[in-house]
């Protein structure tokens, strides 16, 4: 009876998961239906666990309706790249797939994955098959499971980076679902009869909501560790990795007009030696699995589970489950959550070139042939490609001798020394939004570049063209480009209208605060010009813009600072 | 001889005397002797009853003629005309029997005295399905002697086809060859057949009446030949329908342009049924008119007397005549006019014409063989602007006084210029919402939903061929038909060319459409077409036929209809487990029982 009532209160997604037979649903049949480019509604939810979202071209929505055509259904496919490191041969295959099945571009995401857009239903299987043939995967890049595990690329400190990266890769692997549905549907593997599916960690209804893990090595916070459900801060002692500070309960998404939803940074609850970190990570996920809200998806992320019962409750629960007590956190310091561009020498003597990729979109434009250039680089490179958490790309492990060649290729295609590469642009992030994202209220990726053109006029006027103020835009309050951690943050409210947020820290440990709502472009310029001018004139040495606006009381500092337990 | 009045009139009343006088006057001696013998026989019979019966027979023997009207029709034009002819002939005391060639028993040819043949040409110079068998029979070894028959042929056709009225010509020739005598000469009609057909009917009836001694009355008004329920708008007098809606159904990036048109018939009194077509008059593009005028060395201002009244030449060329494509007739006339040996040579040879005509328009012709024209000279070689037919894509049960069309726009490059279809390009480029289009309803009695609402239907309609099936669906939805339905649709690309996609999805959801299979030819390396989908579903398709399904095909005649027909035969053969011949019979049977209907073009 209690059971019953409990069940009735569950969200629809829970029932879909339950009846899906470990994420199979009717995906196979849906793929076959020749009369529509879409999937069965249940399968639309289930396919996320396989790494794809059903979308449609929102630019053509009303036009096609008039033409008596269904929406132009197409699929986004997200490729899991633990720690964001791929080999040149893999890059070449992905590049090719984007032309063959996608819209001819690749999106480097804010979580170090690749995304393809515009794949038609019939292209879905060949694409996913090819990705797997290249020894990459799309499984669990979406859905109520642990996502792609982030790890900062951190090239200039490679001796512990190698080990931290290994850890990220191991977690990513360890926490992927065990169902064989993926292999049956996409890789034509026969289900071995008499072998029931078993999900040791997730069980048959998986997690209440998505779960995100990131690892970082101070002083870099370029993966925004505090934005994750579980953030791990590497602690080293005389160049040896000894363990991690554990932060829990990060998450940036919210819904306008719903007070019960909000952006929240993770709290640092303690330190765990490296050999026990897996156990702790698994236990954190298990707690969220058992206590997370399965009735209201808007309140089901770990951050809400923790705020509902209290951080102390959480630590106790964790300690009891593992049967020992985690230590108190070690000291750490972050300087920035941005990327450092250009050549950096790793401690292994190899070179790393961090390349700005505007909003992660790898494509060719008149006079700026990024996609071609990177293809050529991939053909000669015997190092690797590393995606950063800021939608950028590192051409990694380059031999001294090859530096010239690579610079030459990039220059040839107009990618290097691009005049538009000001400090502001280099510190910008924007989410995908229109025309593919189904949740977008406003433009983001397609709009921010032109807004920055206009803001740069002000920056130059004030001699700020090289200043790195991190500026982020999203098309809705879900926060995919982590706008709530932008020193200047824009969140779309409606086409051409944005909320303006100010005052996040430069290193990702303080959320920004709402400054003005519903601004048009003119209003945005009007609002920012005096503040930027004042910043140029009145800032203190080394003072970052985010700190300046708070000192000047232009906005209040957030009332949700990161907690660090003693 | 003569019957006296008064006492000398014998045993007859004055009235009877007058009648006898009427009946017997002008009989030659032979006839009178025959009659005397006849009356002797009657007198000998126990009662006079026989005489009463014989009475009319006498009159018949004297005057009444029989006329057998055979029609071979595909889209119903000949059928309609055949019925008009019957009405006219009966009104002249002729006994008429009208028969569809398909159901006519060849052995009955013995009984035929006067024969009227109305037949159209289809395919590429081929007889309509309904006429095939009789056509073969008459050309075959078993063809009988027909010297007892007097005949005349009306041939319907379209002069834009090289084999203009070929089937009519065939019948005309073969009847003569079998010994029959022509009572009136064959008339070949172009798509605007009304006047010519009417003249032919008059001439024929006249000739028959004259052959029978009866003094045929000639004061027959035209009304006799027009069916009673004729609407006030027709091919000759089209209605000006307002365009309510115009949408290109092909999504962004498509290689095609297919226009959905919604027209208003309000106030026209025009009605139509699913399966009928709408005739539409287009206009020539200004650029083409310009070009032709220049090439012809004319200004366009010249007043001319065209088939549509007096007006400036440019106007006549724009609205009343065709500048593209060129018809075989135009080519022949132009060859005569210019005396060009080259053209004469081509016009004289079908093969060469087939090579020469496609893709050429009047401008090409004038440039290749220039000629200094008189304005009216130019008109004299041109074909009257003929309406184009469009299968109606709506049902009045659903859209009331609207009519919907689905038009594929013809554009191609030939002989160094971009060419366009006269009518489809008019609808695409020159007419817009709120403009008026000249239209009329063209009934098609040979493409109709089954009368039985329970009967399953199979609809094969790739491309614009899907138009009438949208009408079928609308009709069945409103009329709440319960029969199963199955659509086969195909086009180039799924994402852009799935015509009426959301409507089919809705019909499926509501169960008004039972099943749909689609084939998109350019979405993968190997080409897929509707016939491939049919074959894949062969077993089930055969079962549908066995359970009484009606099979409909609409769209391209040149390739698709043939391939679909082939697939159908293959399916019947394979799943019916029968020989080619038996499959052939099965198909013939479907056709005769109107369960295999095509609307192809
Ligand atoms: C591609 C990416 C943005 C980018 O431009 O790089 C992205 C794109 C989308 N995100 Fe995100 N999110 C992306 C990073 C993020 C981040 C940043 C991060 O994780 O560091 C966040 C904020 C952190 C967080 O999770 O709170 C984020 C919070 C969301 C949310 C809000 C979740 C919440 O609990 O509030 C949604 C909506 C949802 O899950 O219901 C969402 C949903 C989406 C979807 C899938 C929209 C949807 O659900 O239909 C977007 C697909 C758009 C498209 O057309 O590609 N995305 N999303 C990032 C892909 C990351 C990856 O590779 O896995
Ligand atoms: C009963 C019936 C129903 C019909 N239903 C429909 C319908 O529902 N929808 C529809 O769109 N059409 C339909 N049609 C066809 C329609 O009537 C017209 O024939 C069609 O629209 C073309 O007319 P047009 O005036 O645009 O082209 P025209 O000016 O008549 O030109 C067509 C001619 O151009 C030439 N031509 C075309 N393409 C090329 C090329 N690539 N190279 C060289 N020469 C070429 C050919 O000689 C062709 O005959 C139907 C026809 C019939 C008889
Ligand atoms: C698919 C198709 C093919 C045709 N082929 C010819 C032809 O080869 N020669 C010709 O003179 N007329 C041709 N016509 C024109 C028809 O004969 C003309 O439309 C006639 O009026 C039809 O009469 P019906 O309705 O009795 O069949 C064709 C018409 C269609 C629809
Ligand atoms: S932030 Fe909103 S609009 Fe932007 S990608 Fe995420 S869900 Fe879409």
């Amino acid at each position: 009876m209690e059971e019953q009532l409990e069940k009735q209160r569950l969200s629809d997604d829970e029932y879909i998961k339950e009846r899906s037979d470990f994420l199979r649903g009717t995906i196979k049949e849906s793929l076959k239906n020749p009369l529509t480019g879409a999937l069965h509604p249940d399968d639309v939810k289930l396919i996320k666990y396989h790494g794809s979202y059903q979308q449609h071209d929102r630019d053509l929505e009303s036009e096609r309706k008039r033409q008596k055509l269904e929406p132009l259904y197409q699929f986004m496919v997200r490729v899991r790249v633990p720690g964001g490191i791929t080999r040149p041969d893999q890059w070449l295959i992905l590049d090719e797939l984007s032309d063959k099945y996608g819209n001819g571009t690749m999106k480097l995401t804010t979580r170090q994955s690749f995304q393809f857009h515009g794949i038609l239903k019939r292209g879905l299987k060949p694409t996913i098959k090819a990705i797997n043939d290249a020894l990459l995967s799309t499984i669990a890049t979406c859905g109520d499971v642990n996502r792609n595990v982030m790890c900062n690329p951190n090239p200039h400190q490679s001796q512990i980076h190698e080990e931290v990266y290994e850890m990220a890769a191991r977690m990513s692997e360890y926490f992927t679902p065990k169902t064989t549905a993926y292999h049956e549907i996409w890789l034509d593997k026969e289900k071995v009869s008499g072998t029931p599916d078993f999900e040791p960690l997730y069980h048959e209804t998986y997690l209440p909501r998505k779960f995100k893990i990131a690892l970082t090595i101070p002083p870099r916070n370029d993966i925004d560790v505090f934005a994750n459900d579980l953030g791990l801060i590497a602690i080293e002692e005389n160049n040896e990795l000894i363990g991690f500070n554990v932060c829990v309960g990060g998450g940036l998404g919210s819904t306008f007009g719903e007070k019960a939803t909000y952006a929240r940074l993770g709290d640092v609850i303690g330190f765990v030696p490296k050999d026990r970190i897996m156990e702790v990570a698994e236990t954190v996920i298990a707690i969220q699995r058992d206590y997370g809200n399965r009735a209201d998806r808007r309140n089901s992320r770990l951050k809400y589970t923790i705020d509902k019962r209290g951080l102390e409750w959480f630590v106790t629960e964790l300690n009891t489950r593992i049967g020992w007590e985690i230590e108190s956190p070690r000291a750490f310091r972050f300087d920035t959550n941005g990327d450092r561009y250009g050549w950096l020498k790793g401690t292994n003597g190899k070179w790393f070139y961090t390349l700005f990729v505007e909003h992660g979109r790898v494509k060719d434009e008149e006079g700026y042939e990024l996609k071609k250039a990177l293809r050529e680089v991939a053909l000669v490179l015997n190092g690797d490609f590393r995606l950063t958490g800021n939608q950028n790309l590192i051409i990694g492990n380059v031999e001294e001798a090859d530096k010239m060649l690579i610079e030459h290729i990039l220059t040839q295609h107009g990618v290097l020394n691009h005049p538009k590469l000001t400090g502001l642009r280099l510190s910008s992030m924007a989410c995908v939004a229109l025309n593919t994202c189904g949740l977008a209220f406003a433009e983001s990726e397609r709009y921010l570049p032109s807004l920055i053109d206009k803001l740069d006029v002000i920056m130059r006027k004030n001699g700020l063209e090289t200043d790195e103020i991190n500026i982020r835009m999203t098309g809705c309050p879900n926060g995919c480009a982590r706008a709530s951690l932008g020193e200047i943050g824009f969140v779309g409210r409606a086409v051409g209208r944005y909320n303006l947020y100010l005052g996040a820290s430069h290193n990702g440990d303080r959320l920004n605060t709402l400054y003005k709502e519903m601004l048009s472009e003119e209003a945005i310029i009007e609002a920012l010009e005096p503040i930027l001018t004042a910043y140029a004139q009145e800032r203190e040495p080394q003072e970052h813009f985010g700190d300046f606006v708070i000192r000047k009381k232009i906005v209040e500092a957030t009332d949700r600072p990161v907690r660090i337990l003693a | 001889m003569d019957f006296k009045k008064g006492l000398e009139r014998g045993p007859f009343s004055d009235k009877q005397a007058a009648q006898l006088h009427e009946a017997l006057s002008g009989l030659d001696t032979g006839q009178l002797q025959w009659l005397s013998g006849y009356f002797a026989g009657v007198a000998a019979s126990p009662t006079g009853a026989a005489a009463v019966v014989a009475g009319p027979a006498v009159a018949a023997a004297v005057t009444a003629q029989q006329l057998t009207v055979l029609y071979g029709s595909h889209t119903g034009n000949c059928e309609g005309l055949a019925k008009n002819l019957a009405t006219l002939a009966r009104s002249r005391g002729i006994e008429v029997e009208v028969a569809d060639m398909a159901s006519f028993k060849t052995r009955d040819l013995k009984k035929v005295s006067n024969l009227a043949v109305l037949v159209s040409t289809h395919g590429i110079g081929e007889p309509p399905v309904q006429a095939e068998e009789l056509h073969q029979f008459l050309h075959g070894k078993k063809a009988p002697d027909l010297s007892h028959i007097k005949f005349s042929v009306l041939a319907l056709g379209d002069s834009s086809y090289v084999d203009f009225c070929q089937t009519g010509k065939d019948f005309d020739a073969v009847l003569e060859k079998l010994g029959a005598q022509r009572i009136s000469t064959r008339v070949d009609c172009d798509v605007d057949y009304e006047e010519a057909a009417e003249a032919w009917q008059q001439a024929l009836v006249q000739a028959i009446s004259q052959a029978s001694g009866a003094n045929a009355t000639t004061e027959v008004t035209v009304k006799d030949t027009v069916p009673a329920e004729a609407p006030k708008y027709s091919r000759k007098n089209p209605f000006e329908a307002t365009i309510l809606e115009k949408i290109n159904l092909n999504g962004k990036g498509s290689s095609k342009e297919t226009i959905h048109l919604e027209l208003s018939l309000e106030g026209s009194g025009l009605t139509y049924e699913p399966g009928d077509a709408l005739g539409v008059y287009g206009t020539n593009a200004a650029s083409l008119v310009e070009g032709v005028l220049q090439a012809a060395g004319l200004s366009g201002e010249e007043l001319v007397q065209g088939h549509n009244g007096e007006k400036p030449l440019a106007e006549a060329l724009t609205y009343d005549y065709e500048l593209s494509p060129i018809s075989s007739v135009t080519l022949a006339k132009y060859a005569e006019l210019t005396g060009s040996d080259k053209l004469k040579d081509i016009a004289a040879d079908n093969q060469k014409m087939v090579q020469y005509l496609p893709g050429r328009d009047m401008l090409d012709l004038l440039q290749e063989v220039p000629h200094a024209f008189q304005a009216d000279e130019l008109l004299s070689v041109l074909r009257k602007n003929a309406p184009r037919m469009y299968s109606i894509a709506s049902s009045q049960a659903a859209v009331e006084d609207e009519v919907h069309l689905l038009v594929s726009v013809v554009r191609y490059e030939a002989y160094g210029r971009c060419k366009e279809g006269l009518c489809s390009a008019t609808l695409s480029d020159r007419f817009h919402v709120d403009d008026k289009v000249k239209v009329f309803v063209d009934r098609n009695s040979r493409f109709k939903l089954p009368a039985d609402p329970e009967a399953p239907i199979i609809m094969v309609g790739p491309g614009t061929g899907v138009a009438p099936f949208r009408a079928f669906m609308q009709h069945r939805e409103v009329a709440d038909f319960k029969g199963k339905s199955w659509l086969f649709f195909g086009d180039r690309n799924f994402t852009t060319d799935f015509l009426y996609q959301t409507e089919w999805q809705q019909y499926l959801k509501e169960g008004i459409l039972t099943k749909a299979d689609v084939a998109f030819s350019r979405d993968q390396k190997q080409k897929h077409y509707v016939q491939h989908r049919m074959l894949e579903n062969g077993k089930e398709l055969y079962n549908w036929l066995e359970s009484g399904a009606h099979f409909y095909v609409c769209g391209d005649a040149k390739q698709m209809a043939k391939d679909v027909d082939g697939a159908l035969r293959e399916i019947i053969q394979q799943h019916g487990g029968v020989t080619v011949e038996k499959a052939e019979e099965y198909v013939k049977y479907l056709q005769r029982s109107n369960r295999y209907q095509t609307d192809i073009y």
Side-chain angles (χ1 to χ4, degrees), chain A residues 288-543:
Chain A
Q288 165 64 356
R289 176 198 63 208
D290 300 341
Y291 289 96
N293 180 340
R294 288 181 186 259
D296 173 7
R297 294 181 63 80
R298 288 181 167 168
N299 264 279
S300 53
R301 291 288 291 275
L302 180 61
K303 62 183 174 183
Y304 301 115
T305 314
I306 289 173
D307 285 352
K308 191 160 147 226
R309 298 169 186 264
L311 189 59
E312 289 64 22
W313 164 84
F314 183 83
V315 178
T316 321
E317 179 71 18
L318 175 61
N319 289 340
T320 358
R321 287 199 183 205
I322 56 181
W324 48 276
E325 301 226 328
I326 61 173
E327 304 164 31
S328 45
R330 306 292 169 88
F332 65 95
R333 191 188 59 71
F334 288 127
D335 54 16
T336 171
N337 59 356
D339 290 338
R340 235 197 259 167
Y341 295 100
W343 288 111
L344 285 170
K345 189 167 192 170
T347 48
N348 63 353
K350 300 277 184 65
W351 287 90
F352 297 79
Y353 188 85
T354 307
L355 178 69
F356 172 72
V357 179
E358 194 162 38
H359 311 329
R361 191 62 69 170
V362 177
K363 62 179 178 207
D364 290 324
E365 276 175 358
E366 187 62 36
Y368 189 85
E369 300 172 323
L370 181 62
K371 195 157 184 272
K372 278 207 189 70
L374 291 174
R375 193 175 171 75
E376 285 185 33
V377 170
L379 286 166
V380 300
L381 181 67
N382 42 32
D384 53 38
F385 287 102
R386 303 169 172 231
L387 311 189
T388 79
N390 291 308
Q391 304 174 313
N392 294 318
L393 181 67
I394 296 172
I395 304 171
N397 281 312
V398 180
E399 306 286 346
E400 177 85 41
D402 299 339
K403 284 175 67 184
M404 294 287 287
L405 173 57
I406 286 169
E407 282 186 28
H408 174 70
I409 295 174
L410 295 177
T411 320
Q412 253 190 340
H413 292 85
V415 173
L416 230 55
N417 326 322
H418 197 281
K420 291 178 102 184
L421 298 185
T422 59
L424 193 62
R425 193 177 304 272
L426 291 168
S427 316
S428 66
M429 278 214 287
C431 71
V432 181
L434 297 172
N435 63 324
T436 56
C437 178
L439 306 177
F441 298 138
E443 294 281 356
S444 182
E445 182 189 323
R446 297 195 297 190
Y447 169 58
L448 187 56
S450 66
L451 178 60
I452 287 179
D453 290 341
K454 302 193 171 87
L455 292 175
D456 267 337
V457 176
I458 304 172
M459 297 290 277
R460 282 201 191 78
K461 239 195 306 177
N462 294 281
L464 297 172
E465 55 267 42
T466 58
D467 280 64
E468 299 188 345
I469 300 174
N470 94 45
I471 176 172
R472 299 172 170 187
M473 175 178 277
T474 59
C476 87
N478 283 327
C480 298
R482 301 189 289 267
S484 35
L485 284 168
E487 291 178 277
I488 301 173
F490 298 101
V491 175
R493 291 293 303 268
V495 175
R497 288 281 183 285
Y498 297 85
N499 284 4
L500 171 57
Y501 299 76
L502 298 172
S505 60
H506 191 70
N507 66 6
D509 65 1
R510 182 181 67 236
L511 292 169
N512 54 22
T513 314
L514 178 62
Y515 176 57
K516 282 189 152 81
E517 291 194 72
M518 283 293 206
L519 301 185
S520 66
E521 184 170 83
E522 297 72 26
I524 289 170
I525 308 271
E526 215 170 277
L528 284 176
E529 177 144 31
I531 304 177
L532 289 167
T533 317
Y535 174 60
Q537 294 156 0
E538 304 163 31
R539 71 169 160 186
E540 290 173 349
Q542 316 308 327
E543 186 175 29

Side-chain angles (χ1 to χ4, degrees), chain B residues 168-234:
Chain B
K169 293 170 182 167
D170 295 348
F171 273 101
D172 194 50
V174 76
L175 287 169
E176 180 173 44
K177 176 164 153 292
L178 296 173
Q181 310 101 51
R182 214 175 268 98
I183 356 170
S184 69
T185 52
R186 185 186 83 238
V187 172
D188 297 341
C189 305
D190 205 340
V191 286
D192 56 340
Y193 55 79
E194 282 83 352
E195 282 170 37
E198 191 183 313
W200 173 80
Q201 295 181 342
Q202 293 291 356
L204 173 61
V205 170
Q206 188 72 357
I208 296 173
S209 313
Q210 264 151 13
S212 73
N215 50 342
T217 49
T218 41
E219 88 306 332
V220 174
T221 57
V222 179
K223 265 183 85 284
D224 290 14
T225 64
V226 183
E229 81 293 353
K232 73 173 180 290
Y233 294 104
S234 67

